[in-house]
Amino acid sequence: MEGRRMVLWMAVFFLLGVALAWLALFPAARDGVGAGLGRAWGRLASAGGRVQAVSGHHAGEAGRALGARVRWTWQALQRHRVPAVAALVLLLAPALVVMTARRTVVLERLDPGVVAEADRHVLELLRGERLAPPPELPPAVFTAAEAELHQAGADAATPQAIASADRRWDRVAPGLRQSVLAIHQAMARQGYRMVLVEGYRSPERQAALARRGSGTTLAGAGRSCHQYGLAVDSALYRDGRLQWDMDDPWTRRGYLLYGRLAVDAGLEWGGNWRRLRDYVHVEMRDACRRARRAAGY
């Protein structure tokens, strides 16, 4: 009997390890679980009063039963502590490794002096003057970029439906707007001009992009930080064209510097994501989570 129960507990530890690895690998999974738990907690809280009034007399009995079950579980784990600890370590080790390494981005090609100077410039701008957005590029630039992507086949490093994207800076949250403008200015001082490709995104547009498949976006309507003005996509601009070929050394160095500055400014960079690397994307992750929870997502 105890052998079967031990097998059951080891199966529970296995499922726990798989769940932790899943949450560590996929940011969208963590956000979805968090939103679901928030909604479930709200429903439980509203129902708690009613349940307490009806079943209060069962509380003592249930508590005693739960205490007995906890004591039995603790005694079983003590008797089989060596295999239980070994199983737990083996199951949790992959998740811990993933959580430790998931944000690693190769930055060997970046000159430390360039990074330090750009970081210093970003900090000065964030502490001082309020930056004004630059004039938008002609629409033909974005139309041509979209046509070029359709011909070449877009990948995870490029945004989608560029020509119809919203590029109004006033629809981006003020804090994010100032951070991104400071990063753009610091990038320009290092020889990289950046332009806003997309800021705010409507739920309808997000749903349309999601229907294109997981190679475009992992977020459905209401789930993207773009819909709360808390995410932007920026592209490198050179010789009259938007640049996002990560096989090109100049472009790769530019996006890695952009991502490094974004992280140092307290932003989340899509180039650090494991499942869908989005080198043009930065967001205010914590503020976005709060906005999604407030909206019921």
Side-chain angles (χ1 to χ4, degrees):
M1 184 66 176
E2 285 192 5
R4 289 198 296 271
R5 286 174 176 169
M6 193 60 198
V7 170
L8 177 61
W9 278 107
M10 293 185 71
V12 170
F13 282 128
F14 173 76
L15 293 175
L16 176 62
V18 171
L20 288 174
W22 176 59
L23 293 173
L25 282 168
F26 306 118
R30 294 196 298 274
D31 293 341
V33 170
L37 289 175
R39 290 193 296 270
W41 178 257
R43 289 194 291 268
L44 286 172
S46 64
R50 297 193 299 270
V51 172
Q52 186 176 5
V54 174
S55 59
H57 60 282
H58 295 297
E61 211 172 303
R64 287 190 295 273
L66 178 60
R69 177 60 62 181
V70 169
R71 285 192 297 274
W72 177 90
T73 301
W74 177 247
Q75 291 167 359
L77 288 175
Q78 284 185 317
R79 286 194 298 272
H80 304 281
R81 57 181 175 274
V82 174
V85 170
L88 184 62
V89 170
L90 289 174
L91 293 171
L92 294 184
L96 294 175
V97 170
V98 169
M99 291 177 70
T100 302
R102 63 175 293 272
R103 294 182 62 85
T104 301
V105 176
V106 178
L107 296 171
E108 302 92 347
R109 297 182 181 180
L110 292 180
D111 183 342
V114 169
V115 174
E117 171 61 22
D119 266 337
R120 184 189 62 77
H121 186 61
V122 169
L123 289 174
E124 287 177 356
L125 291 171
L126 291 177
R127 292 171 184 159
E129 61 181 303
R130 308 307 292 172
L131 301 175
E136 186 179 335
L137 293 176
V141 172
F142 301 97
T143 303
E146 184 171 338
E148 181 181 339
L149 288 174
H150 280 307
Q151 291 176 355
D155 58 25
T158 57
Q160 302 292 317
I162 301 167
S164 58
D166 191 325
R167 285 178 285 277
R168 288 173 288 182
W169 281 101
D170 60 355
R171 303 200 74 180
V172 177
L176 178 61
R177 180 168 65 238
Q178 287 300 308
S179 294
V180 173
L181 287 172
I183 293 168
H184 282 195
Q185 192 172 124
M187 293 282 294
R189 291 184 59 167
Q190 301 302 325
Y192 295 98
R193 182 180 178 184
M194 301 205 76
V195 298
L196 180 67
V197 174
E198 182 166 19
Y200 171 77
R201 185 183 294 163
S202 69
E204 294 77 18
R205 174 175 167 82
Q206 184 66 37
L209 293 176
R211 285 195 292 271
R212 296 188 178 194
S214 59
T216 300
T217 180
L218 300 178
R223 303 290 304 164
S224 170
C225 296
H226 282 282
Q227 286 153 79
Y228 307 97
L230 293 168
V232 301
D233 294 337
S234 300
L236 292 166
Y237 180 72
R238 182 177 66 172
D239 299 331
R241 296 171 55 243
L242 301 182
Q243 308 287 328
W244 32 55
D245 179 8
M246 293 298 285
D247 291 329
D248 174 63
W250 180 89
T251 303
R252 181 173 179 79
R253 285 194 299 270
Y255 280 117
L256 292 179
L257 178 59
Y258 170 62
R260 174 66 176 268
L261 296 178
V263 170
D264 289 349
L267 304 178
E268 176 85 2
W269 178 46
N272 277 334
W273 295 345
R274 305 291 288 187
R275 186 174 175 186
L276 178 65
R277 294 192 186 275
D278 195 353
Y279 299 102
V280 302
H281 179 98
V282 296
E283 64 183 47
M284 299 181 76
R285 188 170 188 179
D286 292 340
C288 178
R289 284 176 172 171
R290 292 192 294 270
R292 281 202 301 260
R293 283 197 296 267
Y297 292 99

